[in-house]
Amino acid sequence: QVQLVESGGGLVQAGGSLRLTCAASGRTYSTYGWFRQAPGKEREFVAAISWSGSSTYYADSVKGRFTISRDNAKTTVYLQMNSLKPEDTAVYYCAASPWGGSSRPRRAEYDYWGQGTQVTVSS
């Protein structure tokens, strides 16, 4: 079992920054990812990071603006979001995958999910 708890969401103006945190407890998994879901849309992949933290993978829509990282204890995963746009508005979810490597963009590859944190970017 893995428990994931996200925090750090909020309201920010376009061009601003937020840092999301995902605290993981229980069994340690290999790969962690961030997904997001806007109202009326499918949940989509944002970023993922491997166990060691040396490999990361991003959706094209956030590449160059968002950075995923994890702490040395492997218990916390971060998503630094810069240059935020109104289209980044969504509920952001942290997820854990048993599969190695960071190239894990499919929801089906993740076994555990957090409850989500709302990010709202105003124009």
Side-chain angles (χ1 to χ4, degrees):
Q1 284 277 3
V2 175
Q3 293 79 43
L4 303 172
V5 179
E6 303 98 332
S7 61
L11 174 64
V12 64
Q13 289 188 330
S17 299
L18 281 175
R19 188 174 83 157
L20 304 184
T21 298
C22 173
S25 60
R27 177 183 170 185
T28 301
Y29 263 48
S30 293
T31 297
Y32 288 83
W34 286 97
F35 288 72
R36 66 186 182 186
Q37 187 168 17
K41 294 188 176 182
E42 294 283 323
R43 190 172 299 187
E44 64 176 6
F45 171 78
V46 175
I49 189 165
S50 63
W51 164 255
S52 67
S54 62
S55 178
T56 57
Y57 185 67
Y58 296 93
D60 288 342
S61 59
V62 306
K63 203 172 294 183
R65 299 188 298 122
F66 291 10
T67 302
I68 188 171
S69 62
R70 63 193 302 174
D71 68 343
N72 290 335
K74 309 292 190 293
T75 59
T76 306
V77 180
Y78 305 99
L79 185 68
Q80 178 66 43
M81 306 185 295
N82 299 328
S83 302
L84 283 161
K85 305 175 182 180
E87 51 263 44
D88 294 318
T89 295
V91 177
Y92 283 70
Y93 297 90
C94 178
S97 170
W99 303 103
S102 64
S103 184
R104 302 291 173 193
R106 297 187 302 155
R107 287 179 293 170
E109 295 177 298
Y110 293 82
D111 290 348
Y112 293 97
W113 296 81
Q115 82 290 349
T117 185
Q118 176 71 46
V119 172
T120 303
V121 184
S122 63
S123 57

